Amino acid sequence: MRIDHIGIACHDLEEKIALFERTFELTVVAREVNEEQGVKEAMLHIADGEGGGSYIQLLEPLSADSPVGKFLARRGEGVHHVAFGVPDVAQAMERIGGKGVRLLDERPRHGSMGSSIAFLHPKDVGGMLTELVQAADTLRT
Ligand code: CMX
Ligand code: CO
């Protein structure tokens, strides 16, 4: 439906929040520690769209052996992944998985701001780590 967020790996979350606020005049709308993903993160709001908003997601690793920690060691700071907003993450996983793209999650996981997320292997999507996001307010309880 839209680009939900661009995930950016950094060493120092507070420093990068200040940089993005100052440079692009963005506002932090959520902060979270996600132990399962191994990150401390902040979401900076860009715009509102169909089925959810668009954001910049700043990511600091909780440990060196987490996905973002390994990425920083290999490539340094920069764009880590692109996340697409989808109406139904389980259905999107099934459809995309059926095309031979490797799913990195067997089932949807907890993402930013109560969303439901899943990742696709970067090697199967032209080198871009890709996340699927179903926004919280579209999830049935
Ligand atoms: N973007 C593009 N390519 C990437 C990548 C990334 N973010 N991370 C790793 N790769 C590439 C590497 O460059 C490497 O390629 P080469 O073999 O050609 O050098 C290959 O993938 C394997 O890299 P690795 O360092 O050995 O890493 P792993 O295979 O252990 O893990 C991945 C890579 C994508 C499977 C893992 O990072 C993962 O499962 N990610 C999904 C979860 C995640 O990233 N969570 C943090 C964000 C949470 C959030 O957004 O909420
Ligand atoms: Co993300």
Side-chain angles (χ1 to χ4, degrees), residues 37 57 67 70-71 74-75 80-81 122-123 127 129 131:
Q37 296 294 337
Q57 180 183 46
K70 286 174 72 177
F71 179 90
R74 282 182 76 143
R75 301 198 187 188
H80 177 257
H81 65 271
K123 293 288 176 193
L129 176 58
E131 178 182 347

Side-chain angles (χ1 to χ4, degrees), residues 4 11 16-17 21 23 27 32-33 46 54 56 66 76 89 91-92 99-100 103 116-117 120 122 136:
D4 182 285
H11 290 291
K16 286 301 179 296
I17 288 173
E21 285 180 335
T23 307
T27 303
E32 199 168 322
V33 172
I46 305 267
S54 288
I56 292 291
S66 64
V89 70
Q91 190 186 77
K99 298 175 202 206
L103 305 172
S116 189
I117 64 172
L120 310 177

Side-chain angles (χ1 to χ4, degrees), residues 28 41 43 51 59-60 62 64 78 86 91 99-100 105 108 118 135:
V28 173
E41 56 153 272
M43 298 295 270
L59 301 159
E60 181 189 309
L62 292 177
V86 298
Q91 190 186 77
K99 298 175 202 206
D105 302 287

Side-chain angles (χ1 to χ4, degrees), residues 30-138:
R31 285 171 185 262
E32 199 168 322
V33 172
N34 188 332
E35 300 276 355
E36 189 179 41
Q37 296 294 337
V39 294
K40 186 164 95 173
E41 56 153 272
M43 298 295 270
L44 291 87
H45 181 253
I46 305 267
D48 290 315
E50 186 196 346
S54 288
Y55 307 88
I56 292 291
Q57 180 183 46
L58 298 177
L59 301 159
E60 181 189 309
L62 292 177
S63 68
D65 62 353
S66 64
V68 175
K70 286 174 72 177
F71 179 90
L72 281 172
R74 282 182 76 143
R75 301 198 187 188
E77 294 187 314
V79 174
H80 177 257
H81 65 271
V82 172
F84 295 116
V86 298
D88 182 325
V89 70
Q91 190 186 77
M93 289 169 78
E94 199 177 309
R95 281 170 60 179
I96 295 168
K99 298 175 202 206
V101 171
R102 276 170 288 170
L103 305 172
L104 295 172
D105 302 287
E106 282 174 23
R107 55 180 171 75
R109 295 180 188 279
H110 165 74
S112 311
M113 302 185 293
S115 64
S116 189
I117 64 172
F119 286 88
L120 310 177
H121 201 291
K123 293 288 176 193
D124 296 348
V125 203
M128 178 177 86
L129 176 58
T130 303
E131 178 182 347
L132 306 171
V133 182
Q134 183 177 352
D137 56 8
T138 69

Side-chain angles (χ1 to χ4, degrees), residues 8-24:
I8 298 174
C10 65
H11 290 291
D12 184 333
L13 185 65
E14 297 310 321
E15 183 192 293
K16 286 301 179 296
I17 288 173
L19 175 69
F20 274 70
E21 285 180 335
R22 186 170 71 238
T23 307
F24 300 116

